[in-house]
């Protein structure tokens, strides 16, 4: 599941970057969402895999704080990006004639920048809060299961839900693979359809 998450999101980023037809606000936000999902998954899953492999449940305090900080802030960034995507869809549906004027590249870049800056400021505020507050312990089997579902399953499903069922992404992937196929044709004598 971890590899599916990482590769699925990398494929989306590659398709959006390489195909000029996908240089629209919707795919701009989608590529950022894919990047955040990769980062989000990498905050917890590698440590979880090491813990399972070595059967050692030890984590340093600094490692725990770092992991939780990245986890929380990437989750918030994920939520902000989904909110921006919802706004993009709202403008496309409710104001289709004004869509290109409202959702300009400048506004999209500004929305993403504000999103990143907000999360960065939240990082410093929560870091200060953690530093000033006392440590609290809480463990629950159900919250651990929910965390794994949220940390692994949701980022894995995002590429499927938002893009791999989308004909524009499929077309872009075929074009990218065809370009790679031309290179392989030279090496292996294969033909690109």
């Amino acid at each position: 599941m971890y590899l599916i998450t990482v590769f699925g999101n990398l494929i989306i980023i590659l398709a959006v970057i390489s195909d000029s037809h996908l240089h629209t606000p919707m795919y701009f936000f989608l590529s950022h969402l894919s990047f955040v999902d990769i980062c989000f998954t990498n905050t917890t899953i590698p440590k979880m895999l090491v813990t399972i492999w070595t059967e050692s449940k030890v984590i340093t305090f600094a490692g725990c704080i770092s992991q939780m900080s990245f986890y929380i802030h990437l989750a918030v960034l994920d939520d902000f990006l989904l909110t921006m995507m919802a706004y993009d869809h709202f403008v496309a549906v409710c104001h289709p004639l004004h869509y290109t004027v409202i959702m300009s590249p400048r506004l999209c870049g500004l929305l993403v920048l504000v999103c990143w800056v907000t999360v960065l400021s939240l990082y410093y505020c929560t870091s200060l809060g953690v530093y000033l507050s006392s440590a609290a312990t809480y463990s629950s089997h159900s919250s651990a299961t929910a965390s794994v579902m949220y940390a692994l399953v949701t980022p894995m499903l995002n590429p499927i839900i938002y893009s791999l069922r989308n004909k524009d992404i499929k077309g872009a992937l075929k074009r990218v693979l065809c370009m790679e196929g031309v290179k392989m044709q030279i090496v292996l004598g294969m033909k690109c359809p």
Side-chain angles (χ1 to χ4, degrees):
M1 288 174 69
Y2 174 67
L3 293 176
I4 293 170
T5 302
V6 172
F7 288 127
N9 284 301
L10 281 174
I11 287 171
I12 291 171
I13 293 170
L14 174 68
V16 171
I17 289 172
S18 64
D19 193 341
S20 62
H21 296 100
L22 300 180
H23 292 178
T24 63
M26 179 176 82
Y27 294 111
F28 176 75
F29 294 134
L30 184 62
S31 65
H32 280 271
L33 180 67
S34 293
F35 176 73
V36 170
D37 281 346
I38 290 170
C39 295
F40 181 72
T41 303
N42 284 322
T43 60
T44 54
I45 303 305
K47 176 62 178 161
M48 181 184 74
L49 293 174
V50 167
T51 299
I52 291 169
W53 184 264
T54 62
E55 297 179 6
S56 171
K57 297 179 182 179
V58 176
I59 186 169
T60 65
F61 181 73
C64 180
I65 293 296
S66 299
Q67 185 180 34
M68 285 306 300
S69 178
F70 281 114
Y71 181 85
I72 290 168
H73 293 95
L74 288 168
V76 170
L77 187 57
D78 213 24
D79 293 341
F80 283 155
L81 283 168
L82 289 170
T83 302
M84 285 188 287
M85 289 173 72
Y87 176 72
D88 175 62
H89 290 302
F90 166 77
V91 172
V93 171
C94 295
H95 305 286
L97 298 177
H98 299 290
Y99 178 76
T100 55
V101 175
I102 295 171
M103 295 304 293
S104 66
R106 184 171 185 262
L107 178 65
C108 293
L110 185 62
L111 286 172
V112 169
L113 179 63
V114 166
C115 183
W116 284 95
V117 169
T118 302
V119 169
L120 187 63
S121 65
L122 286 173
Y123 170 76
Y124 287 114
C125 291
T126 55
S127 296
L128 183 62
V130 166
Y131 178 74
L132 296 175
S133 68
S134 62
T137 58
Y138 174 75
S139 82
S140 168
H141 180 63
S142 61
S143 67
T145 303
S147 296
V148 169
M149 293 295 287
Y150 187 74
L152 187 60
V153 175
T154 302
M156 182 185 74
L157 292 177
N158 278 344
I160 297 166
I161 293 169
Y162 289 110
S163 62
L164 295 181
R165 295 185 60 205
N166 182 318
K167 64 182 175 183
D168 294 334
I169 291 283
K170 286 181 184 177
L173 289 174
K174 285 179 185 176
R175 286 187 286 277
V176 168
L177 293 175
C178 187
M179 289 178 1
E180 292 299 319
V182 170
K183 293 175 187 174
M184 292 301 291
Q185 182 180 5
I186 295 169
V187 176
L188 300 174
M190 296 170 51
K191 290 199 173 192
C192 186

